[in-house]
Amino acid sequence: MIEPLSDLSRLCIHTMTTKPWALPEAIDGYTAAGVPGITVWRQALEPQGVAESARMLAGSGLRVVSLCRGGFFPAATDAGRQEALDDNRRAIDEAAAIGAPLVVLVCGAVPGMPLAEARKQIADGIAAVVAHAEGAGVRLSIEALHPMYADVRSAVNTLGQANDMVEALATPWVGVTVDVYHLWWDPGLEQQIARAGDSILSFHVCDWRTPTRDLLNDRGLMGDGCIDIPVIRGWVEQTGFCGPVEVEIFSDEYWATDQAAFVERIKAAYLAYC
Ligand code: ZN
């Protein structure tokens, strides 16, 4: 049986989880609540720019766990694919600037494009930016998304597919993210987590609500749904992973509430259900 999380030392919150907060408010809110880690979404950088964001984060004492997100490699045209590569190189530079060791990739998909073709374009796209990532000292992490997003968000829908890609790319600069929301249903998950081994670069948690009222913005707080997070965390930690447990919740319901109170609920749910 896995050890419960007895303190907040591994807790990280994604800025998207507290979307109503701009970056300065998130920094203040997390530090006031004793949350040690932050994963920054790129839109949170925009209002004050990357340099000022980097200055604020560096002075906050927070551990910057990752930057979300790069990816969206497939496109119908050469120009579109080139634009995606340029944007991923920018994301890598932004990560380096804010001290994030990792860019999480939501790999992309194009409605009507065969998924196998999309996966080929994703693998080619990642291969094209690996040298830039290595030069910046930033790793890239493939996050498989639940198959309900296979039309427009990601043609990588199982950890097995992400592992296939990582093995083919064969570089320590590319690994995988295990997100319980996207992967909990997979009967091969335990085996694929073991296969991923030390290429697991990050671990995301939230919960799957029944019923799910919105495909994008109705993720549950841990304990709201049916995912057995400690079991999956146990499999992940059997590989040697001991990094942050990142709370990533997109929820119209929780975004409408007081965010400081929500962070307190996250802390309690993290200790009780992760
Ligand atoms: Zn995630």
Side-chain angles (χ1 to χ4, degrees):
M1 193 55 198
I2 186 154
E3 289 286 311
L5 294 163
S6 55
D7 60 44
L8 302 177
S9 59
R10 292 173 61 194
L11 174 59
C12 166
I13 299 181
H14 283 227
T15 57
M16 273 296 277
T17 299
T18 54
K19 189 171 88 163
W21 275 349
L23 186 63
E25 296 168 301
I27 289 172
D28 289 349
Y30 298 177
T31 50
V35 176
I38 185 169
T39 277
V40 180
W41 280 62
R42 293 177 76 191
Q43 48 269 58
L45 300 175
E46 281 168 15
Q48 64 284 321
V50 175
E52 175 61 11
S53 300
R55 194 194 61 75
M56 293 189 313
L57 287 161
S60 72
L62 290 171
R63 172 180 178 182
V64 183
V65 173
S66 57
L67 180 73
C68 283
R69 58 200 184 185
F72 289 97
F73 293 103
T77 63
D78 284 344
R81 287 188 285 276
Q82 188 58 49
E83 205 174 296
L85 298 182
D86 293 342
D87 188 57
N88 277 277
R89 292 189 186 98
R90 278 195 297 275
I92 289 163
D93 293 342
E94 289 168 13
I98 66 168
L102 187 66
V103 171
V104 177
L105 302 176
V106 170
C107 290
V110 177
M113 179 186 289
L115 292 172
E117 169 62 18
R119 284 193 284 274
K120 182 182 179 307
Q121 292 190 13
I122 289 164
D124 290 348
I126 296 172
V129 298
V130 164
H132 193 85
E134 183 174 357
V138 171
R139 285 191 161 76
L140 304 172
S141 191
I142 299 171
E143 179 169 4
L145 262 54
H146 191 280
M148 69 180 171
Y149 302 119
D151 55 346
V152 289
R153 291 179 187 275
S154 184
V156 179
N157 304 110
T158 65
L159 186 56
Q161 290 170 332
N163 284 337
D164 289 346
M165 228 169 251
V166 168
E167 285 179 9
L169 288 158
T171 162
W173 292 94
V174 181
V176 298
T177 290
V178 173
D179 185 322
V180 301
Y181 186 77
H182 297 300
L183 302 178
W184 67 277
W185 57 272
D186 184 347
L189 184 58
E190 180 178 9
Q191 178 202 349
Q192 291 299 331
I193 286 173
R195 178 185 166 204
D198 62 10
S199 73
I200 296 176
L201 301 181
S202 59
F203 180 54
H204 295 176
V205 299
C206 67
D207 214 335
W208 184 280
R209 298 182 75 135
T210 305
T212 292
R213 299 162 296 184
D214 183 278
L215 293 188
L216 193 59
N217 294 327
D218 194 32
R219 296 190 188 193
L221 181 62
M222 300 80 74
D224 282 348
C226 58
I227 303 177
D228 193 334
I229 299 171
V231 164
I232 299 175
R233 183 169 66 84
W235 295 339
V236 167
E237 292 179 6
Q238 271 169 24
T239 70
F241 181 88
C242 54
V245 175
E246 304 181 41
V247 178
E248 181 189 29
I249 301 172
F250 310 159
S251 167
D252 290 328
E253 179 179 324
Y254 289 122
W255 288 332
T257 65
D258 176 80
Q259 296 298 283
F262 181 39
V263 168
E264 292 304 315
R265 292 188 66 181
I266 289 170
K267 287 161 57 180
Y270 169 88
L271 293 171
Y273 298 109
C274 289

